[in-house]
Amino acid sequence: MPNFAALFIANNMKKRIALFISGRGSNMEAILKACRTGILQDIAEPVLVFSNRADAKGLAVAQAMGVETQVIESKGLKRPAFDAKVLDLLQTYQPNFIVLAGYMRILSPLLVQAYPQRIINIHPADTTQHQGLHGYEWAFDNKLASTKITVHYVDEGLDTGNIIAQKTVDLSGTNTLEEVEQRGLTAEHEFYSSVLKTILEA
Ligand code: GAR
């Protein structure tokens, strides 16, 4: 018989996280697994997976893992109007932190200021060197020997927020963009949860 009182207390102490995605959601999946059976299991409760795109593949993955999903299509909406709707939606879920995982949008001041130092993102490169899309293409095209995966707080800019942690990934021996991306993503999946653990425990 489970100890319901202990479970209740443990659940109440967990940080509520909302994960934001726009596509595949492989980082989201890794974080959800870490919340279920991995290093985040006593620390984080995923209360929502949100996407600005109804066709984001990660939505089905989240649903299959039993996590609630919501979509507000961003297409056709101006940034402040869209983010006002997102903010409104978040009232229902009351997350402590918002975790961007391949969420391909710049956030408006409205959203950033509602969650100061509470919105986190992962980027496949050193954000002081490369911002925006196609981080692995950039590393591959420039024949970089390594890339520096970056986890950072989100501000109103494009990958310009304060850096929390970086991890150097050795790219030597890779010959194709797919190999670069595969090696980088494998590192991202492990690194993001470990950085989140540190932040959420603090
Ligand atoms: C990841 O490589 C992530 O670092 C990157 O998008 C990919 C999303 O993959 N994010 C950025 O480039 C942010 N500027 P996923 O949907 O499989 O997690």
Side-chain angles (χ1 to χ4, degrees), residues 20-30 58 100-105 121-125 127 130-136 149-150 152 158-159 181 184-185 188-189 192:
F20 282 26
I21 63 170
S22 295
R24 178 179 52 193
S26 71
N27 274 290
M28 171 214 75
E29 184 176 2
L100 308 189
Y103 185 66
M104 298 306 183
R105 286 186 64 79
N121 184 40
I122 190 163
H123 183 69
T127 49
H130 177 275
Q131 303 83 29
L133 298 171
H134 310 306
Y136 290 124
I149 293 167
T150 305
H152 63 94
L158 178 60
D159 299 322
E181 192 167 355
L185 275 172
E188 284 189 48
H189 296 162
Y192 207 0

Side-chain angles (χ1 to χ4, degrees), residues 26-168:
S26 71
N27 274 290
M28 171 214 75
E29 184 176 2
I31 293 165
L32 293 183
K33 283 181 180 159
C35 290
R36 291 288 176 257
T37 55
I39 61 169
L40 296 174
Q41 64 178 330
D42 298 323
I43 296 164
E45 182 63 31
V47 294
L48 171 69
V49 168
F50 170 77
S51 182
N52 65 311
R53 297 182 59 130
D55 62 356
K57 294 219 162 41
L59 289 168
V61 177
Q63 285 157 11
M65 292 179 78
V67 180
E68 203 166 318
T69 61
Q70 293 283 353
V71 175
I72 300 173
E73 284 280 1
S74 52
K75 213 170 172 187
L77 284 177
K78 290 221 159 59
R79 196 179 310 284
F82 173 74
D83 278 353
K85 282 176 182 280
V86 175
L87 201 51
D88 199 36
L89 175 74
L90 290 174
Q91 297 306 316
T92 310
Y93 294 91
Q94 295 287 318
N96 301 111
F97 286 86
I98 297 172
V99 177
L100 308 189
Y103 185 66
M104 298 306 183
R105 286 186 64 79
I106 294 173
L107 305 190
S108 63
L110 180 75
L111 201 45
V112 172
Q113 285 161 20
Y115 291 89
Q117 302 285 84
R118 297 293 174 114
I119 310 178
I120 299 154
N121 184 40
I122 190 163
H123 183 69
D126 185 341
T127 49
T128 65
Q129 304 288 316
H130 177 275
Q131 303 83 29
L133 298 171
H134 310 306
Y136 290 124
E137 284 91 328
W138 171 77
F140 181 68
D141 291 345
N142 289 288
K143 301 183 176 45
L144 300 188
S146 62
T147 189
K148 225 181 225 181
I149 293 167
T150 305
V151 176
H152 63 94
Y153 289 113
V154 174
D155 64 11
E156 294 89 347
L158 178 60
D159 299 322
T160 51
N162 286 343
I163 293 173
I164 302 165
Q166 293 185 307
K167 183 188 178 80
T168 301

